[in-house]
Amino acid sequence: MKNPAANLIPSKLISRYGTRDPFRICREKGIEVMFRDDFTGQKGAFSLMLNVPFIFINNNLSDEMKRIVCAHELGHAMLHRKLCRQRKNQTIYEYEIFDIRSSTEYEANIFVSM
């Protein structure tokens, strides 16, 4: 893991907002969460549009999986905005959120345990 903040930020968010609910934390942080019915194999995405953070979640997932995907994407929102800005379309797409071969995915997965 390249970013030690991945281990520190989740507990700070929980303490600050008094919840482990990633949807509530997103609301408090001004991160727009939108549910998409047109995702097929995709579980979620994190994107910056005009520097506004968005999390998109596949609406066809179970409620528990939506929560997991939201927490994972919140990890990207907190840790990987710079990476997102560097990408042409400023979006990080998720097909397999538990892929640990990538350090960015591994770091975002730490948020799932919050």
Side-chain angles (χ1 to χ4, degrees):
M1 175 174 33
K2 294 180 181 180
N3 191 344
N7 288 317
L8 301 173
I9 292 175
S11 59
K12 287 182 180 182
L13 290 172
I14 291 164
S15 177
R16 180 173 184 182
Y17 297 109
T19 184
R20 293 180 175 274
D21 180 356
F23 294 103
R24 184 167 158 215
I25 293 171
C26 285
R27 271 194 312 274
E28 295 287 337
K29 294 209 56 64
I31 300 169
E32 297 288 331
V33 177
M34 302 181 80
F35 296 93
R36 302 287 303 261
D37 290 316
D38 59 341
F39 283 1
T40 53
Q42 188 174 348
K43 290 178 176 49
F46 170 68
S47 185
L48 287 171
M49 296 179 202
L50 301 174
N51 217 25
V52 175
F54 285 87
I55 290 175
F56 299 100
I57 299 173
N58 185 330
N59 201 31
N60 299 309
L61 300 173
S62 68
D63 288 342
E64 184 60 26
M65 189 54 121
K66 287 176 186 173
R67 184 182 186 286
I68 290 169
V69 171
C70 185
H72 178 91
E73 299 304 334
L74 177 59
H76 285 307
M78 299 303 300
L79 297 167
H80 305 129
R81 284 187 192 210
K82 184 177 179 181
L83 172 67
C84 201
R85 283 187 191 103
Q86 293 169 349
R87 293 184 176 200
K88 184 177 181 182
N89 62 2
Q90 297 191 332
T91 302
I92 298 172
Y93 297 98
E94 303 300 342
Y95 291 93
E96 294 298 326
I97 63 172
F98 300 113
D99 182 0
I100 60 170
R101 294 173 288 179
S102 159
S103 63
T104 57
E105 293 305 312
Y106 178 80
E107 292 166 358
N109 283 337
I110 291 171
F111 276 70
V112 174
S113 63
M114 56 187 269

